């Protein structure tokens, strides 16, 4: 039976994979011989994709077949309405009762974007860490932090030591604007800005200057709204979150009063979800700025669109066009800060200050929508406008990087070429998560995708397609790392750092005060 995939492109994207042969096999169950050698499996990356892959290999979960259901898992930055994922059907779970899984992570701490990407004021989204911790506590799972694959150890070396290697290292880069002035001080990627306030060590030197009145965010997804919300939230509302101490100090001094969130297309194409929009509309001390003209004619068109998008558009339309109630009007009139959505605008150039030392504005091309086949794209009209600002944050997408010269990589798509998670032309090598699909979907999407990759690996193992005979696993890699002066960090080491963060946070009423200096972390562990 054939394999079909549907790939969405653009906003609110999710990838659905239809595997008819799995759906038909209602009575299918894999039995692995207890005489089989212990499979040694390595996972690179300890974010959601890595941990969900490990979880499926160790414990198994119901296989997933497409059946529309509202997403129950939270989005990366919030509980979204709109994304849909395949619902689990009652197909018996599959896993290997003796497989050993080693998870390698370049950071000293685990959990990837759950720790470094989810907004500090969305603590409920981080509860998935409890599930990942249970997986890490398995006696057949080991976490090895402070190990950068591609630098400290190569993928071929991992392939020599393990029966299978799964690459789940995510999308750790950002899409460049590729416009003049992008290199000016005061221009940052939203990814780096999020990493800065969330304690990602490599972004702690960012030092954004928030002494300006106006900030511009390019892109209209959930990350863009996260960044806008953090910029405009009264600092006292962030005091009880796990935002870093340094970031909170800078935000206390912020002079930013207006944030423009700019998109190439229109209200029907925004990528953020309704939860994030509601949070912005209800943000204390702020008022929204929406141009009613951007919504002309939408009232009739929204009748035909799917319900989640319809509800989102109705809320936008209501906010833009309806007269507020008396008490709401008083609240808006007293607001000292504002945020606005600018539609049909595409960045052309970041404008420098007179001395050329920093950003002073951004030049935007006015666009219109044009249908190209089934796609709708923004094309320039020839008109331009300049928007003064002192801070530009680019939020037009994340992208993956190649990890090792031995691993195929599609630079145009930013993914490892694969078939259902099997890396093309490299037997025994697999991928899951964003490095497999591109940076699309939500945590629930990544969970399903990772389970499917794990399932492909287990099928190959059962079919005898992976190397036979024993493999040394972590013992060989630890010897290599030791010879190269690399000191891995274990999960129990992480739990010591975790306890230290929680203790430091308690002193100021926070859930934790994140450690952001790798050297301090190593010293605390006695390394």
């Amino acid at each position: 039976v054939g394999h079909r995939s549907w790939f969405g492109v653009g906003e609110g994207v999710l990838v659905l994979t239809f595997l008819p042969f799995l759906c038909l096999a209602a009575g299918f169950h894999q039995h692995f011989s207890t005489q089989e050698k212990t499979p040694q499996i390595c996972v690179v990356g300890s974010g959601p994709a890595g941990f969900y892959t490990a979880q499926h290999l160790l414990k198994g979960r119901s296989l997933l077949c497409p059946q529309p259901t509202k997403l129950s898992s939270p989005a990366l930055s919030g509980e979204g309405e709109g994304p849909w994922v395949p619902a689990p059907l009652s197909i018996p779970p599959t896993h290997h009762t003796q497989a050993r899984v080693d998870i390698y992570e370049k950071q000293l701490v685990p959990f990837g974007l759950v720790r470094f990407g989810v907004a500090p004021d969305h603590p409920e989204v981080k509860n998935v860490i409890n599930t990942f911790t249970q997986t890490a506590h398995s006696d057949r799972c080991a976490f090895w932090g402070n190990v950068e694959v591609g630098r400290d150890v190569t993928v071929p070396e991992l392939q020599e030591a393990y029966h299978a290697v799964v690459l789940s290292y995510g999308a750790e880069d950002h899409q460049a604007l590729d416009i003049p002035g992008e290199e000016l001080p005061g221009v940052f990627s939203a990814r780096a800005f999020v990493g800065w306030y969330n304690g990602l060590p490599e972004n702690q030197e960012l030092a954004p200057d928030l002494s300006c009145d106006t900030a511009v965010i390019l892109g209209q997804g959930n990350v863009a709204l996260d960044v806008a919300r953090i910029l405009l939230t009264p600092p006292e509302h962030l005091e009880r979150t796990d935002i870093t101490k340094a970031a909170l100090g800078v935000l206390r001094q912020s002079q930013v009063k207006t944030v423009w969130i700019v998109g190439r297309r229109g209200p029907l194409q925004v990528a953020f979800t309704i939860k994030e929009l509601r949070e912005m509309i209800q943000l204390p001390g702020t008022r929204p700025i929406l141009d009613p003209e951007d919504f002309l004619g939408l009232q009739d068109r929204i009748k035909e669109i799917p319900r989640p998008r319809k509800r989102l558009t109705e809320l936008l339309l209501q906010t833009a066009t309806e007269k507020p109630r008396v008490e709401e009007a008083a609240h808006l009139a007293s607001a000292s800060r504002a945020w606005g959505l600018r539609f049909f605008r595409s960045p052309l150039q970041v404008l420098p200050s007179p001395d050329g030392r920093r950003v002073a504005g951004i030049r935007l091309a006015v666009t219109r929508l044009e249908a190209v086949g089934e796609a709708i794209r923004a094309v320039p009209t020839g008109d331009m406008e300049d928007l003064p600002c002192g801070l530009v944050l680019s939020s037009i997408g994340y992208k993956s990087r190649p990890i090792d010269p031995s691993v195929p990589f599609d630079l145009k798509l930013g993914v490892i070429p694969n078939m259902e998670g099997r890396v093309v032309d490299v037997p025994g090598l697999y991928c899951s998560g964003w490095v497999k699909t591109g940076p699309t979907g939500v945590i629930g999407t990544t969970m399903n995708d990772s389970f499917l990759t794990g399932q492909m690996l287990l099928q190959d193992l059962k079919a005898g397609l992976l190397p036979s005979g024993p493999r040394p696993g972590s013992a060989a890699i630890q010897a290599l790392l030791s010879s190269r002066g690399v000191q891995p960090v274990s999960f129990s080491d992480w739990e010591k750092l975790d306890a230290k963060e929680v203790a430091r946070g308690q002193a100021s009423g926070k859930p934790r005060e994140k450690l952001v200096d790798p050297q301090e972390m190593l010293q605390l562990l006695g390394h």
Side-chain angles (χ1 to χ4, degrees), residues 249-272:
V250 172
L251 289 166
R252 285 189 198 282
Q253 303 300 317
S254 172
Q255 300 299 307
V256 174
K257 296 290 188 289
T258 304
V259 176
W260 289 106
I261 305 157
V262 178
R264 294 176 296 115
R265 299 190 285 175
L268 285 176
Q269 289 81 36
V270 295
F272 50 74

Side-chain angles (χ1 to χ4, degrees), residues 379-448:
V379 296
T381 63
D383 294 332
M384 293 181 294
E385 68 178 32
D386 292 349
L387 184 57
C389 63
L391 178 69
V392 173
L393 295 163
S394 168
S395 184
I396 59 173
Y398 290 14
K399 70 175 184 180
S400 298
R401 299 171 181 163
I403 194 171
D404 190 288
S406 70
V407 179
F409 194 83
D410 187 323
L411 289 170
K412 185 177 180 181
L413 296 177
V415 297
I416 295 172
N418 70 91
M419 294 292 291
E420 298 175 344
R422 298 177 177 100
V423 176
V424 173
D425 296 331
V426 190
L429 191 61
Y430 302 82
C431 56
S432 69
W434 283 2
V435 77
K436 170 186 172 184
T437 64
T440 62
V442 294
I443 286 179
T445 321
T446 297
M447 177 184 73
N448 291 358

Side-chain angles (χ1 to χ4, degrees), residues 2-3 21 37-38 49 108 112 121 156 191 254 282 316 327 342 364 417 459 469:
H3 161 261
F21 68 90
K37 299 291 183 185
T38 301
L108 274 77
D121 57 349
R191 191 194 193 293
S254 172
Q282 296 166 4
L316 280 170
E327 57 190 55
R342 297 292 283 268
L364 301 168
Q459 286 186 359

Side-chain angles (χ1 to χ4, degrees), residues 30-39 96-98 462:
Q30 301 226 32
H31 295 280
F32 294 94
S33 166
T34 53
Q35 280 74 43
E36 224 167 58
K37 299 291 183 185
T38 301
H96 197 294
T97 57
Q98 296 190 16
K462 184 170 187 288

